[in-house]
Amino acid sequence: MSVLIVGSTALDSIKTPKAENPRLLGGSASHAAVAASFFSPVKMIGVVGDDFPKRYLQLYRRHGIDLAGLQVKPGKTFHWSGEYEVNLNNRRTLLTELGVFESFTPHLPDTHKATPFVLLANIAPSLQHHVLDQMANTKFVVADTMDLWLNIALPDLLRLLKRIDGFVLNDSEAHQLTQEDNVFAALRKIHKLGPKYVIIKKGSHGSILSGPRGIFICPAYPLRKVCDPTGAGAPFIGGLMGNPAARGPVDKNIRRAMIHGSVVASFCCEGFGLNRTTRIKRAHIDQRVKELEKLTKF
Amino acid sequence: MSVLIVGSTALDSIKTPKAENPRLLGGSASHAAVAASFFSPVKMIGVVGDDFPKRYLQLYRRHGIDLAGLQVKPGKTFHWSGEYEVNLNNRRTLLTELGVFESFTPHLPDTHKATPFVLLANIAPSLQHHVLDQMANTKFVVADTMDLWLNIALPDLLRLLKRIDGFVLNDSEAHQLTQEDNVFAALRKIHKLGPKYVIIKKGSHGSILSGPRGIFICPAYPLRKVCDPTGAGAPFIGGLMGNPAARGPVDKNIRRAMIHGSVVASFCCEGFGLNRTTRIKRAHIDQRVKELEKLTKF
């Protein structure tokens, strides 16, 4: 079964004290789509400018990603530039050029409108709504978000929560949304806003799922060296959504799907942009999943 | 098999926006000893003043704690007083009266000198050394610590690390000791300082063990409401040390022992001081251990 993924498709220029990485392939849809592609066929919805490097289109294709829903518009691709400090915890944005992304309206090809699994990766909630408006017969719809939308588009986001099956956010966003410091108290409040499944991401501390079968404490894969931690939420949720799509009933499979997402995110953190993720094979993922089984057994 | 536990025995006065709790039973040895007592016979080493309430001695005895090594000296019991803000993350110390603790020199009764399992709970490293100096034929010695000793007694602590089997500290202390932000990189550096087992506590995010069988990611029991989070490190390590003592080879059992410690710590967080911990039975602990199995299975 396919996964439809909508989100941002961007070029990221990332500076660290040791290196400059100009115009890497980035954006929530790119990360999520490549991650999901290890498990399922992926249909990506997004927009790029006519400056978008051909090698990145080839990269998508190498991962079997269906690009019928990727618009190529005259103008510049969304470009973000940021600089990291030595310890990687502090990052500052140097530049944000929205380019063709500013007027993006996702259009779904007819072939895409009945895709059962839908990932609304991080993007304005109004665009997430717009994608759902075009769809029928979905089986499992999950949305990701970021603090920006809590700040400037909360009513849209709250409306969205009534329309989706699963919602993913990080711990500080969960606190912002519910005013609860405690993750488990926050989960309870978020369920009341609509979604049956809620996942709170805690970075290197793993993530927590709350769903019909209760709580699941999902570990992060232990990494001794993190190269680029930002945006690891997108491959996590991409891997998760690819995985149950390939494996049947969500309720039964979502825990193992989270573990797979967590592992794909761990590879992502080991390189800049998609550098590491695009160099792994499914066998590397399966190996780390097995390791996580051992690392958590008692 | 018995566990010998040395540490502080104190009276804690804890103020919150909702309540005042004067002169609760506290201190690292009290917390660790009560936690360990659910699993093993405990011999406690400490000092209290002649103002120490009889009901607290009775409490120790109800938990079967051997008090032959508890000195009762003329003077005041160590008294700490602190105040919490609404969200419980911010605490300020109002008062610290060392009392008889200031001149504490732990003396081990002859019957205690060959106890196989030894927990050097949080106390000055010089006193932890002094206890080890009196012992022979130990099987498994674990030390806890706090940032204070890293600041004012680092040489003593570094010497101690060469003499113990296991070392327990929290993530910020691990960072302070190794200058490593990454927990797994820090673990590697701490092993080089001596201990075969290193456990890094991460509060509500659980803890990480590094030992001869590799890494273990230990979850915290999910609590929707935390009453008093401070000092939960002592019941964690107390429960851990009580548990393998009761169950044979450390290498094989330490993971399940950590889970038991984690569960005892969760009960501790649900009440002020030892209020909640002293009201539970072994069956309550076993129930939460079973739940943790379910909460982490994938």
Side-chain angles (χ1 to χ4, degrees), chain B residues 54-71:
Chain B
K54 282 218 173 60
R55 67 178 186 282
Y56 292 154
L57 293 173
Q58 284 157 2
L59 185 157
Y60 289 142
R61 285 194 197 101
R62 264 204 315 279
H63 282 266
I65 297 166
D66 180 331
L67 300 178
L70 181 70
Q71 303 166 32

PDB file of all heavy atoms in Angstrom, chain B residues 54-71:
ATOM      1  N   LYS B  54      11.210   9.269  67.217  1.00  0.00           N
ATOM      2  CA  LYS B  54      11.171   7.811  67.433  1.00  0.00           C
ATOM      3  C   LYS B  54      10.375   7.105  66.350  1.00  0.00           C
ATOM      4  O   LYS B  54      10.668   5.974  65.975  1.00  0.00           O
ATOM      5  CB  LYS B  54      10.535   7.506  68.805  1.00  0.00           C
ATOM      6  CG  LYS B  54      11.483   7.719  69.950  1.00  0.00           C
ATOM      7  CD  LYS B  54      11.286   6.656  71.042  1.00  0.00           C
ATOM      8  CE  LYS B  54      12.361   6.769  72.103  1.00  0.00           C
ATOM      9  NZ  LYS B  54      12.362   8.121  72.784  1.00  0.00           N
ATOM     10  N   ARG B  55       9.359   7.807  65.821  1.00  0.00           N
ATOM     11  CA  ARG B  55       8.509   7.146  64.810  1.00  0.00           C
ATOM     12  C   ARG B  55       9.306   6.824  63.543  1.00  0.00           C
ATOM     13  O   ARG B  55       8.967   5.888  62.815  1.00  0.00           O
ATOM     14  CB  ARG B  55       7.270   7.994  64.494  1.00  0.00           C
ATOM     15  CG  ARG B  55       7.555   9.311  63.776  1.00  0.00           C
ATOM     16  CD  ARG B  55       6.227  10.052  63.473  1.00  0.00           C
ATOM     17  NE  ARG B  55       6.436  11.253  62.672  1.00  0.00           N
ATOM     18  CZ  ARG B  55       6.889  12.411  63.128  1.00  0.00           C
ATOM     19  NH1 ARG B  55       7.229  12.547  64.418  1.00  0.00           N
ATOM     20  NH2 ARG B  55       7.032  13.450  62.316  1.00  0.00           N
ATOM     21  N   TYR B  56      10.379   7.598  63.298  1.00  0.00           N
ATOM     22  CA  TYR B  56      11.186   7.297  62.118  1.00  0.00           C
ATOM     23  C   TYR B  56      12.091   6.078  62.366  1.00  0.00           C
ATOM     24  O   TYR B  56      12.347   5.298  61.446  1.00  0.00           O
ATOM     25  CB  TYR B  56      12.013   8.513  61.694  1.00  0.00           C
ATOM     26  CG  TYR B  56      11.168   9.662  61.149  1.00  0.00           C
ATOM     27  CD1 TYR B  56      11.613  10.976  61.208  1.00  0.00           C
ATOM     28  CD2 TYR B  56       9.918   9.424  60.564  1.00  0.00           C
ATOM     29  CE1 TYR B  56      10.844  12.023  60.700  1.00  0.00           C
ATOM     30  CE2 TYR B  56       9.144  10.456  60.064  1.00  0.00           C
ATOM     31  CZ  TYR B  56       9.606  11.767  60.131  1.00  0.00           C
ATOM     32  OH  TYR B  56       8.844  12.788  59.641  1.00  0.00           O
ATOM     33  N   LEU B  57      12.555   5.926  63.613  1.00  0.00           N
ATOM     34  CA  LEU B  57      13.298   4.704  63.938  1.00  0.00           C
ATOM     35  C   LEU B  57      12.385   3.482  63.787  1.00  0.00           C
ATOM     36  O   LEU B  57      12.782   2.442  63.267  1.00  0.00           O
ATOM     37  CB  LEU B  57      13.847   4.773  65.367  1.00  0.00           C
ATOM     38  CG  LEU B  57      14.934   5.831  65.612  1.00  0.00           C
ATOM     39  CD1 LEU B  57      15.274   5.915  67.109  1.00  0.00           C
ATOM     40  CD2 LEU B  57      16.201   5.526  64.804  1.00  0.00           C
ATOM     41  N   GLN B  58      11.138   3.658  64.238  1.00  0.00           N
ATOM     42  CA  GLN B  58      10.160   2.571  64.094  1.00  0.00           C
ATOM     43  C   GLN B  58       9.893   2.249  62.622  1.00  0.00           C
ATOM     44  O   GLN B  58       9.736   1.089  62.244  1.00  0.00           O
ATOM     45  CB  GLN B  58       8.850   2.928  64.809  1.00  0.00           C
ATOM     46  CG  GLN B  58       8.955   2.800  66.326  1.00  0.00           C
ATOM     47  CD  GLN B  58       7.923   3.649  67.074  1.00  0.00           C
ATOM     48  OE1 GLN B  58       7.087   4.318  66.457  1.00  0.00           O
ATOM     49  NE2 GLN B  58       7.994   3.628  68.400  1.00  0.00           N
ATOM     50  N   LEU B  59       9.847   3.320  61.821  1.00  0.00           N
ATOM     51  CA  LEU B  59       9.639   3.128  60.371  1.00  0.00           C
ATOM     52  C   LEU B  59      10.771   2.284  59.775  1.00  0.00           C
ATOM     53  O   LEU B  59      10.520   1.325  59.041  1.00  0.00           O
ATOM     54  CB  LEU B  59       9.559   4.497  59.705  1.00  0.00           C
ATOM     55  CG  LEU B  59       9.237   4.596  58.211  1.00  0.00           C
ATOM     56  CD1 LEU B  59       8.664   5.974  57.894  1.00  0.00           C
ATOM     57  CD2 LEU B  59      10.430   4.314  57.317  1.00  0.00           C
ATOM     58  N   TYR B  60      12.014   2.656  60.101  1.00  0.00           N
ATOM     59  CA  TYR B  60      13.150   1.846  59.629  1.00  0.00           C
ATOM     60  C   TYR B  60      12.965   0.385  60.040  1.00  0.00           C
ATOM     61  O   TYR B  60      13.153  -0.539  59.256  1.00  0.00           O
ATOM     62  CB  TYR B  60      14.467   2.343  60.239  1.00  0.00           C
ATOM     63  CG  TYR B  60      15.004   3.675  59.747  1.00  0.00           C
ATOM     64  CD1 TYR B  60      15.629   4.555  60.652  1.00  0.00           C
ATOM     65  CD2 TYR B  60      14.955   4.049  58.407  1.00  0.00           C
ATOM     66  CE1 TYR B  60      16.170   5.763  60.232  1.00  0.00           C
ATOM     67  CE2 TYR B  60      15.499   5.259  57.986  1.00  0.00           C
ATOM     68  CZ  TYR B  60      16.100   6.110  58.904  1.00  0.00           C
ATOM     69  OH  TYR B  60      16.646   7.296  58.479  1.00  0.00           O
ATOM     70  N   ARG B  61      12.602   0.199  61.315  1.00  0.00           N
ATOM     71  CA  ARG B  61      12.487  -1.174  61.843  1.00  0.00           C
ATOM     72  C   ARG B  61      11.358  -1.939  61.167  1.00  0.00           C
ATOM     73  O   ARG B  61      11.482  -3.130  60.891  1.00  0.00           O
ATOM     74  CB  ARG B  61      12.281  -1.149  63.370  1.00  0.00           C
ATOM     75  CG  ARG B  61      13.562  -0.820  64.115  1.00  0.00           C
ATOM     76  CD  ARG B  61      13.465  -1.114  65.617  1.00  0.00           C
ATOM     77  NE  ARG B  61      14.544  -0.415  66.307  1.00  0.00           N
ATOM     78  CZ  ARG B  61      14.412   0.727  66.975  1.00  0.00           C
ATOM     79  NH1 ARG B  61      13.207   1.297  67.090  1.00  0.00           N
ATOM     80  NH2 ARG B  61      15.446   1.300  67.546  1.00  0.00           N
ATOM     81  N   ARG B  62      10.256  -1.241  60.894  1.00  0.00           N
ATOM     82  CA  ARG B  62       9.142  -1.901  60.182  1.00  0.00           C
ATOM     83  C   ARG B  62       9.607  -2.435  58.839  1.00  0.00           C
ATOM     84  O   ARG B  62       9.079  -3.424  58.339  1.00  0.00           O
ATOM     85  CB  ARG B  62       7.995  -0.901  59.967  1.00  0.00           C
ATOM     86  CG  ARG B  62       6.896  -0.948  60.996  1.00  0.00           C
ATOM     87  CD  ARG B  62       5.562  -0.418  60.476  1.00  0.00           C
ATOM     88  NE  ARG B  62       5.664   0.824  59.723  1.00  0.00           N
ATOM     89  CZ  ARG B  62       5.751   2.049  60.253  1.00  0.00           C
ATOM     90  NH1 ARG B  62       5.783   2.203  61.562  1.00  0.00           N
ATOM     91  NH2 ARG B  62       5.813   3.108  59.479  1.00  0.00           N
ATOM     92  N   HIS B  63      10.585  -1.736  58.240  1.00  0.00           N
ATOM     93  CA  HIS B  63      11.131  -2.208  56.957  1.00  0.00           C
ATOM     94  C   HIS B  63      12.285  -3.197  57.153  1.00  0.00           C
ATOM     95  O   HIS B  63      13.000  -3.500  56.203  1.00  0.00           O
ATOM     96  CB  HIS B  63      11.569  -1.010  56.099  1.00  0.00           C
ATOM     97  CG  HIS B  63      10.407  -0.330  55.432  1.00  0.00           C
ATOM     98  ND1 HIS B  63      10.010  -0.639  54.158  1.00  0.00           N
ATOM     99  CD2 HIS B  63       9.530   0.603  55.888  1.00  0.00           C
ATOM    100  CE1 HIS B  63       8.941   0.095  53.842  1.00  0.00           C
ATOM    101  NE2 HIS B  63       8.633   0.857  54.866  1.00  0.00           N
ATOM    102  N   GLY B  64      12.444  -3.655  58.381  1.00  0.00           N
ATOM    103  CA  GLY B  64      13.464  -4.679  58.655  1.00  0.00           C
ATOM    104  C   GLY B  64      14.886  -4.163  58.507  1.00  0.00           C
ATOM    105  O   GLY B  64      15.808  -4.956  58.304  1.00  0.00           O
ATOM    106  N   ILE B  65      15.069  -2.863  58.597  1.00  0.00           N
ATOM    107  CA  ILE B  65      16.410  -2.292  58.398  1.00  0.00           C
ATOM    108  C   ILE B  65      17.233  -2.436  59.675  1.00  0.00           C
ATOM    109  O   ILE B  65      16.805  -2.028  60.762  1.00  0.00           O
ATOM    110  CB  ILE B  65      16.299  -0.805  57.972  1.00  0.00           C
ATOM    111  CG1 ILE B  65      15.574  -0.720  56.613  1.00  0.00           C
ATOM    112  CG2 ILE B  65      17.677  -0.133  57.899  1.00  0.00           C
ATOM    113  CD1 ILE B  65      15.101   0.668  56.232  1.00  0.00           C
ATOM    114  N   ASP B  66      18.405  -3.016  59.529  1.00  0.00           N
ATOM    115  CA  ASP B  66      19.327  -3.238  60.650  1.00  0.00           C
ATOM    116  C   ASP B  66      19.958  -1.888  61.021  1.00  0.00           C
ATOM    117  O   ASP B  66      20.619  -1.254  60.191  1.00  0.00           O
ATOM    118  CB  ASP B  66      20.395  -4.242  60.177  1.00  0.00           C
ATOM    119  CG  ASP B  66      21.420  -4.563  61.257  1.00  0.00           C
ATOM    120  OD1 ASP B  66      21.679  -3.696  62.132  1.00  0.00           O
ATOM    121  OD2 ASP B  66      21.982  -5.670  61.208  1.00  0.00           O
ATOM    122  N   LEU B  67      19.728  -1.447  62.262  1.00  0.00           N
ATOM    123  CA  LEU B  67      20.179  -0.121  62.675  1.00  0.00           C
ATOM    124  C   LEU B  67      21.434  -0.149  63.553  1.00  0.00           C
ATOM    125  O   LEU B  67      21.793   0.860  64.168  1.00  0.00           O
ATOM    126  CB  LEU B  67      19.046   0.614  63.413  1.00  0.00           C
ATOM    127  CG  LEU B  67      17.767   0.826  62.584  1.00  0.00           C
ATOM    128  CD1 LEU B  67      16.697   1.522  63.435  1.00  0.00           C
ATOM    129  CD2 LEU B  67      18.048   1.633  61.326  1.00  0.00           C
ATOM    130  N   ALA B  68      22.121  -1.294  63.586  1.00  0.00           N
ATOM    131  CA  ALA B  68      23.339  -1.398  64.411  1.00  0.00           C
ATOM    132  C   ALA B  68      24.388  -0.366  63.992  1.00  0.00           C
ATOM    133  O   ALA B  68      25.207   0.066  64.806  1.00  0.00           O
ATOM    134  CB  ALA B  68      23.919  -2.811  64.312  1.00  0.00           C
ATOM    135  N   GLY B  69      24.357   0.045  62.731  1.00  0.00           N
ATOM    136  CA  GLY B  69      25.334   1.028  62.244  1.00  0.00           C
ATOM    137  C   GLY B  69      24.800   2.448  62.232  1.00  0.00           C
ATOM    138  O   GLY B  69      25.437   3.356  61.672  1.00  0.00           O
ATOM    139  N   LEU B  70      23.636   2.683  62.832  1.00  0.00           N
ATOM    140  CA  LEU B  70      23.088   4.039  62.889  1.00  0.00           C
ATOM    141  C   LEU B  70      23.482   4.695  64.210  1.00  0.00           C
ATOM    142  O   LEU B  70      23.047   4.268  65.283  1.00  0.00           O
ATOM    143  CB  LEU B  70      21.556   4.028  62.751  1.00  0.00           C
ATOM    144  CG  LEU B  70      20.891   5.417  62.775  1.00  0.00           C
ATOM    145  CD1 LEU B  70      21.198   6.200  61.503  1.00  0.00           C
ATOM    146  CD2 LEU B  70      19.370   5.301  62.975  1.00  0.00           C
ATOM    147  N   GLN B  71      24.321   5.695  64.145  1.00  0.00           N
ATOM    148  CA  GLN B  71      24.757   6.385  65.353  1.00  0.00           C
ATOM    149  C   GLN B  71      23.709   7.413  65.783  1.00  0.00           C
ATOM    150  O   GLN B  71      23.171   8.131  64.945  1.00  0.00           O
ATOM    151  CB  GLN B  71      26.082   7.114  65.079  1.00  0.00           C
ATOM    152  CG  GLN B  71      27.210   6.209  64.588  1.00  0.00           C
ATOM    153  CD  GLN B  71      28.372   6.996  64.003  1.00  0.00           C
ATOM    154  OE1 GLN B  71      28.663   8.110  64.430  1.00  0.00           O
ATOM    155  NE2 GLN B  71      29.039   6.414  63.010  1.00  0.00           N
TER     156      GLN B  71
END
